[in-house]
Amino acid sequence: MPSSSVPLEPVREVHNLERYSLARANAGIYYNVVVGTRLQLQSATTQLPKDKTQWLEILTGPLSWLIQRHPALSVVVGDHLSAKPTFLRLPAIDLSRLVRVTTIQRHNEIRQVLEDEHTTPFDFLNHEIPLWRIVLVHITDDDSFYLLYNFQHVIGDGRSAMSLTEQLVQQLNIQAAAAAVTAATASTSAENTRLPTVVTAPNDPLPPAIEMRVNCQPPLPMLLKEAALGLLLPAFVKKSLESKYWAGEFDANLNVPNETQVEGCFFTQEETLQIIQTSKIRQTTVHSILFTAANFAIKSIFLSQVEGEGENMKPTTTKDKLSFATPVSLRALISPTIDPSDQGSYTSELITKDIQILLESEFWNVTQTYRNQVVKGTTTEKGVRHMLEHAGLLEYLPKRPGGWEDFLQSQVAQEPHGRLATLKLSNIGKSWDQPSSSSSSTSSSSSSSEQQPVVTFKVQDAIFSQSASVTSSAFTLNAATANGALSIITTWQKATFSSRERGELFMKEFKRILLQATEPKRQVYLFREAVISRHTTVSQ
């Protein structure tokens, strides 16, 4: 699509952490994020729309409301390949160009839709549409539908997208409640009440970037160390100094297309409750439990085998180490804190290296060790400063046009196997809460904007998914919880494994280990048990 011929109003420069996401897209390493929910229509007198025109009639009001409150939904990026890209404001948003409608038979077939979205990057040269889109996916088996918000990471992160989609669902229900009240008014025709799909953009400023809120300047020793490792040392020397770890069946390769493959793992409310209750009993976190199950599954599928049968089973596993990336939201870690509804990108990462899963490794010991590391990294002043300073290092990447992109692509040569980690687990948590019944809130003290409307569109479960990043990790697990049900969408670059089945097998093993480890009566769970159990199950 050609750019608009009318000059657009500059809003502010793209700051470093935002530009990092932009540069990854420019380099073809990472594209976009999808966050949303599966909804079920609760009204017996209403039917789901059948085509895009009908969907637009329902979505125009709520989306117009969101656009007026979130300036990030009205921007594009100017000079995206330059050393100083800029956010530009669109004068108006044409919603008809931002909505896609499709159909699947069963809800777990959403993986194909997600793969299509993750393989379609945003066009930064197109200055006629913003950096987001909406996908409606009708599920014919149960007549539910996915409402998905696909966005470029430069305008938001997982937490902000979770808040945005929560507001969108709330506005859909408010609109449905209002429509039910006025449905009997014969003098108001559908033609007169139909809203225009072209929405005027607000003039409000964009939320400040993280560098505008807090000092991210790294100290001189950190600068010298990172310069030596990242810029001065030849790649083969850097690799020889770092610990080796497993990161896929094939090394990263920039000469093949960056295609994302997807596999979903959906837990029932009962299974989710089992995991949550176990985390409380064990005095740990759900995230730490997911971490351990994922590492056990990697070792079980790719780095272990079992010989013999019955009581003569003899499991073996390699000495390969694993590396783990934990994305961390900086919103609550700085002062003043950043509201979840703030549409911006405020994330850093903790890297846990030299993870060893041996045959005698005990599940809850591994979980506790990891939890202690995360607590240290996110609650201590030193840990938080380190994450902020890590973001501050971006200031020292090459200033020339294309310099960031060249540096990010060079990581393929500098990192072992071209990937920074074995696994990444991004958990945006629990959201999309709704009343337990279909009745509206009776609190007279709440304002109209805070009152819970009658639930016409009921949340069933959550979706959180990211494009596979070539230089990031072999697997990326994206977790979210809604309606008491946990869902995990795992993505990987197609070129990482010999076949899709390898990724699917990992997900099956991950879910099995997770539920097995959190069984209420289980006290100890060794990795040896997990490996033998898988082969016993297969043989049966």
Side-chain angles (χ1 to χ4, degrees):
M1 294 291 295
S3 297
S4 172
S5 58
V6 179
L8 300 179
E9 173 195 354
V11 181
R12 67 164 170 82
E13 67 177 281
V14 177
H15 283 265
N16 288 335
L17 195 56
E18 298 163 333
R19 189 182 168 198
Y20 173 72
S21 295
L22 176 65
R24 287 199 296 171
N26 290 338
I29 290 174
Y30 178 93
Y31 295 137
N32 51 36
V33 188
V34 176
V35 172
T37 61
R38 183 169 65 91
L39 303 171
Q40 188 85 51
L41 189 63
Q42 300 295 293
S43 173
T45 60
T46 308
Q47 291 185 336
L48 287 179
K50 302 301 181 184
D51 56 33
K52 180 177 174 178
T53 300
Q54 293 176 333
W55 275 115
L56 274 171
E57 290 181 18
I58 290 178
L59 287 171
T60 293
L63 288 177
S64 299
W65 186 91
L66 287 173
I67 288 171
Q68 296 306 312
R69 284 155 180 80
H70 300 295
L73 299 180
S74 304
V75 298
V76 293
V77 175
D79 299 323
H80 68 290
L81 293 174
S82 73
K84 290 187 177 181
T86 306
F87 285 117
L88 306 174
R89 193 189 317 277
L90 293 170
I93 312 297
D94 186 352
L95 297 178
S96 67
R97 301 179 63 177
L98 302 179
V99 175
R100 181 167 85 90
V101 178
T102 189
T103 301
I104 57 178
Q105 184 176 350
R106 292 175 293 274
H107 79 96
N108 58 357
E109 294 173 5
I110 192 62
R111 72 180 190 184
Q112 184 58 58
V113 178
L114 294 174
E115 286 183 3
D116 292 343
E117 289 299 310
H118 288 314
T119 310
T120 308
F122 287 90
D123 181 3
F124 294 114
L125 289 174
N126 186 351
H127 287 178
E128 297 180 350
I129 58 176
L131 300 173
W132 59 275
R133 53 183 177 259
I134 296 292
V135 185
L136 285 309
V137 187
H138 182 212
I139 306 164
T140 57
D141 259 10
D142 61 3
D143 209 30
S144 63
F145 68 97
Y146 281 109
L147 175 61
L148 306 178
Y149 169 58
N150 185 342
F151 63 100
Q152 221 294 325
H153 220 324
V154 71
I155 65 167
D157 54 24
R159 292 288 174 88
S160 62
M162 184 169 63
S163 176
L164 186 83
T165 52
E166 190 171 42
Q167 292 175 39
L168 179 53
V169 173
Q170 185 182 54
Q171 288 301 311
L172 281 170
N173 279 311
I174 290 174
Q175 177 178 268
V181 172
T182 60
T185 307
S187 60
T188 304
S189 68
E191 192 65 37
N192 291 334
T193 59
R194 188 170 298 156
L195 297 173
T197 59
V198 177
V199 183
T200 302
N203 291 320
D204 299 334
L206 279 175
I210 189 70
E211 299 90 347
M212 301 167 69
R213 298 173 183 263
V214 64
N215 177 23
C216 297
Q217 178 65 32
L220 183 59
M222 185 180 189
L223 281 175
L224 295 176
K225 177 184 176 182
E226 293 297 330
L229 291 176
L231 298 174
L232 302 180
L233 288 181
F236 74 93
V237 176
K238 181 178 184 292
K239 285 184 176 181
S240 68
L241 295 175
E242 295 189 347
S243 298
K244 303 299 185 295
Y245 50 84
W246 187 89
E249 293 181 326
F250 303 110
D251 291 351
N253 187 344
L254 292 173
N255 296 322
V256 297
N258 182 13
E259 298 181 59
T260 295
Q261 293 197 315
V262 177
E263 181 63 22
C265 184
F266 298 90
F267 294 83
T268 65
Q269 291 178 332
E270 291 74 20
E271 290 170 337
T272 304
L273 183 60
Q274 173 182 313
I275 298 167
I276 294 173
Q277 288 179 334
T278 303
S279 72
K280 294 177 180 179
I281 293 171
R282 295 281 181 171
Q283 296 183 324
T284 186
T285 63
V286 170
H287 188 96
S288 300
I289 294 174
L290 300 180
F291 157 85
T292 308
N295 280 287
F296 269 38
I298 283 284
K299 287 285 288 187
S300 175
I301 293 296
F302 296 99
L303 303 170
S304 301
Q305 62 181 4
V306 172
E307 296 179 354
E309 296 181 358
E311 296 181 357
N312 296 320
M313 280 188 173
K314 294 182 178 180
T316 59
T317 188
T318 69
K319 296 181 179 179
D320 291 75
K321 297 178 181 179
L322 308 179
S323 177
F324 196 86
T326 305
V328 177
S329 174
L330 298 172
R331 291 171 180 266
L333 303 182
I334 65 171
S335 181
T337 60
I338 305 173
D339 191 90
S341 64
D342 186 320
Q343 297 301 301
S345 185
Y346 312 106
T347 58
S348 187
E349 280 189 351
L350 294 174
I351 301 297
T352 305
K353 294 186 176 181
D354 297 332
I355 302 169
Q356 287 190 286
I357 305 298
L358 308 175
L359 286 176
E360 300 308 316
S361 293
E362 205 278 325
F363 189 94
W364 299 108
N365 289 342
V366 175
T367 301
Q368 191 61 40
T369 299
Y370 170 72
R371 179 184 180 275
N372 291 342
Q373 291 181 3
V374 172
V375 169
K376 183 178 179 181
T378 58
T379 62
T380 65
E381 182 179 353
K382 181 178 179 180
V384 174
R385 279 304 313 166
H386 181 76
M387 285 190 288
L388 292 173
E389 290 162 0
H390 185 74
L393 286 171
L394 296 171
E395 176 65 26
Y396 298 92
L397 291 184
K399 296 291 193 293
R400 59 179 173 79
W404 283 43
E405 288 77 9
D406 290 343
F407 176 80
L408 292 174
Q409 288 181 329
S410 73
Q411 289 183 305
V412 169
Q414 292 183 352
E415 299 294 343
H417 308 292
R419 299 186 181 93
L420 184 62
T422 308
L423 285 160
K424 179 166 74 172
L425 172 56
S426 187
N427 186 357
I428 59 175
K430 173 179 174 291
S431 192
W432 301 282
D433 287 337
Q434 292 180 316
S436 57
S437 68
S438 61
S439 61
S440 60
S441 174
T442 58
S443 175
S444 59
S445 62
S446 300
S447 65
S448 59
S449 62
E450 295 175 337
Q451 288 179 351
Q452 289 283 3
V454 173
V455 175
T456 301
F457 298 98
K458 181 172 175 52
V459 172
Q460 300 298 305
D461 47 45
I463 286 288
F464 172 35
S465 179
Q466 300 185 67
S467 296
S469 181
V470 177
T471 60
S472 176
S473 58
F475 282 113
T476 298
L477 281 71
N478 307 281
T481 303
N483 190 34
L486 170 68
S487 69
I488 298 179
I489 303 297
T490 297
T491 58
W492 64 91
Q493 190 196 17
K494 184 179 180 180
T496 305
F497 302 109
S498 56
S499 65
R500 170 191 286 277
E501 287 70 29
R502 301 294 281 164
E504 294 174 353
L505 189 59
F506 160 73
M507 283 301 287
K508 290 179 181 178
E509 182 74 345
F510 165 74
K511 184 174 184 178
R512 182 189 67 80
I513 289 174
L514 181 57
L515 294 178
Q516 213 168 62
T518 56
E519 289 174 351
K521 295 183 180 180
R522 186 179 293 274
Q523 297 299 315
V524 177
Y525 189 50
L526 303 179
F527 177 65
R528 176 189 299 274
E529 298 176 61
V531 175
I532 292 178
S533 178
R534 177 169 75 89
H535 287 266
T536 302
T537 302
V538 170
S539 65
Q540 291 175 348

